[in-house]
């Protein structure tokens, strides 16, 4: 039976049998007992499904991963310890030393650094592209050894909206999958797989959890990309894995299971970064209310963006729900029901005004976090990016006057009143 997203958020992933717990149980155990070595051996050979060590798989985590896969319209999913781990695993599962990745410049700074510094040290090269470039310009970034293309549905903190169909066409023309970080939009407002994306990642720490309670990430595979068409590009999926007795993932598990099985059996086995069962339990509680929370986040952000855009002391506002915003039309296409609760804006009084504004906020907490039930605010120039000059900030797209506001679930008018008094005092 096809179910709507609100129902999937409650029901998907876990169906208790008669007499079993109604809530997903927290299986807080590192190991699992078996009657014979032969029974356990089948698990090590990937010939049977089950659990033997929670670094590879855990019933609580698997149930929540299955729910998120259903929400995104994917075939399979794997929880990770953080959103950064999810991005890393999604790429490293198919790219290694000597390979190349194409990525949008408009992505989270941590992911940018992951690609440009850490993965480069591992021998993976990256070319960053303007997400607004034409298909012809994007195509010129590809090489023979390119293994993936990466972008964000709504970039953090630039708030660019990705033209997913355009990126998917270019990626598929070059025989590689499109990986999309869907953290800010969530599957409530956008399901990138329906627009051509092949793999979706999230920092579940943000809207999916929604309460600042538990770090986490997830990788979702659509099960639609045909790795077997390009066996020379993806030998890890299409040739025997000697570390698992020569299993070929695409042959044993098909397109619907190959990517996530390899990601779990090989990368999670060797690198860790698991999400704990306790955190998965918290995440599931957040998922149950996700559609309803997202609507309020978006309603608050839209009202506040309109208030800020009409304020005489505000220099500029960036929010794709505003008419006239550069990404308004793309947002109407990919995010017709709302985008997210995050706004960027600047005051006419510049950097000093931004610092004064932050000092006078009452409801908005000063945090590096976003996408929480509580409103939080950040002035990057005086906090996360304080080591940079004004010129360097401008070049990085994070101007000295930029204020990032993550609208929570509080009463809309209370939030506007707080912003109004802080702006006056700035």
């Amino acid at each position: 039976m096809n179910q709507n997203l609100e129902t999937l958020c409650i029901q998907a992933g876990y169906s208790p049998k008669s007499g079993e717990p109604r809530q997903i149980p927290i299986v807080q155990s590192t190991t699992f007992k078996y009657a014979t070595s032969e029974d356990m051996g089948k698990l090590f050979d990937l010939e049977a499904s089950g659990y033997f060590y929670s670094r590879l798989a855990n019933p609580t985590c698997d149930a929540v991963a299955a729910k998120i896969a259903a929400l995104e319209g994917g075939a399979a999913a794997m929880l990770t310890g953080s959103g950064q781990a999810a991005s890393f695993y999604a790429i490293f599962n198919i790219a290694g030393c000597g390979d190349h990745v194409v990525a949008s410049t408009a992505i989270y700074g941590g992911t940018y650094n992951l690609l440009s510094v850490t993965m480069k040290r591992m021998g993976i090269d990256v070319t960053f592209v303007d997400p607004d470039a034409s298909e012809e310009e994007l195509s010129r970034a590809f090489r023979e050894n390119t293994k993936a293309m990466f972008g964000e549905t709504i970039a953090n903190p630039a708030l660019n909206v990705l033209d997913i169909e355009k990126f998917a066409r270019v990626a598929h023309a070059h025989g590689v999958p499109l990986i999309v970080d869907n953290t800010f939009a969530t599957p409530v407002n956008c399901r990138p797989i329906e627009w051509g994306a092949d793999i979706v990642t999230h920092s579940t720490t943000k809207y999916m959890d929604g309460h600042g309670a538990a770090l986490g990430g997830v990788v979702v595979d659509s099960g639609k990309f045909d790795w077997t068409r390009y066996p020379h590009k993806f030998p890890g999926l299409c040739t025997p894995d000697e570390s698992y007795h020569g299993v070929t993932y695409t042959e044993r598990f098909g397109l619907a299971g190959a990517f996530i099985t390899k990601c779990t059996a090989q990368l999670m086995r060797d690198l860790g970064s698991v999400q704990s069962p306790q955190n998965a339990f918290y995440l599931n509680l957040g998922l149950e209310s996700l559609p309803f929370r997202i609507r309020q986040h978006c309603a608050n952000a839209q009202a506040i963006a309109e208030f800020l855009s009409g304020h005489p002391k505000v220099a500029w506002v960036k929010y794709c729900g505003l008419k006239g915003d550069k990404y308004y039309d793309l947002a109407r296409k990919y995010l017709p029901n709302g985008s997210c609760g995050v706004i960027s804006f600047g005051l006419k009084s510049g950097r000093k005004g931004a610092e004064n504004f932050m000092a006078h906020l009452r409801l908005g907490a000063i945090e590096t976090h976003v996408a929480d039930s509580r409103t939080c605010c950040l002035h990057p120039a005086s906090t996360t990016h304080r080591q940079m000059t004004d010129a360097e900030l401008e070049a990085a797209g994070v101007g000295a006057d930029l204020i990032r506001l993550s609208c929570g679930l509080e009463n809309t008018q209370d939030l506007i009143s707080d912003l109004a008094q802080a702006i006056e005092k700035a």
Side-chain angles (χ1 to χ4, degrees), residues 144-165:
E144 283 296 316
N145 61 339
T146 303
K147 297 299 177 72
M149 193 176 198
F150 185 92
E152 292 182 8
T153 309
I154 305 171
N156 174 20
L159 301 182
N160 301 47
V161 177
L162 187 71
D163 191 339
I164 302 171
E165 282 191 317

Side-chain angles (χ1 to χ4, degrees), residues 140-302:
R140 286 197 285 271
F142 283 75
R143 306 174 188 170
E144 283 296 316
N145 61 339
T146 303
K147 297 299 177 72
M149 193 176 198
F150 185 92
E152 292 182 8
T153 309
I154 305 171
N156 174 20
L159 301 182
N160 301 47
V161 177
L162 187 71
D163 191 339
I164 302 171
E165 282 191 317
K166 179 180 72 174
F167 265 56
R169 282 194 300 269
V170 174
H172 295 160
H174 291 273
V176 303
L178 172 62
I179 303 171
V180 173
D181 182 332
N182 196 36
T183 297
F184 268 16
T186 82
V188 173
N189 284 340
C190 183
R191 286 160 47 115
I193 291 170
E194 294 178 351
W195 298 100
D198 302 289
I199 298 156
V200 173
T201 64
H202 287 266
S203 169
T204 62
T205 315
K206 309 304 189 297
Y207 286 120
M208 283 190 168
D209 168 76
H211 301 86
L215 289 170
V218 68
V219 181
V220 182
D221 178 34
S222 69
K224 295 179 180 179
F225 190 84
D226 190 352
W227 311 102
T228 62
R229 287 186 61 191
Y230 315 97
H232 63 291
K233 278 183 175 289
F234 307 107
L237 288 162
C238 301
T239 59
D241 179 0
E242 297 307 325
S243 73
Y244 264 111
H245 310 288
V247 63
T248 300
Y249 293 101
T250 49
E251 290 180 2
R252 177 75 65 84
F253 302 102
L255 297 183
F259 184 88
I260 292 297
T261 301
K262 178 181 180 293
C263 208
T264 303
Q266 191 184 84
L267 298 190
M268 194 64 87
R269 173 197 66 188
D270 294 344
L271 298 171
S273 300
V274 297
Q275 185 168 149
S276 74
Q278 186 74 49
N279 279 16
F281 178 83
Y282 293 141
L283 169 58
N284 185 64
L285 292 179
L287 289 170
E288 290 184 351
S289 62
L290 180 65
F292 312 99
R293 290 187 291 103
I294 285 294
R295 288 169 196 156
Q296 182 65 15
H297 282 296
C298 290
N300 274 348
Q302 184 68 35

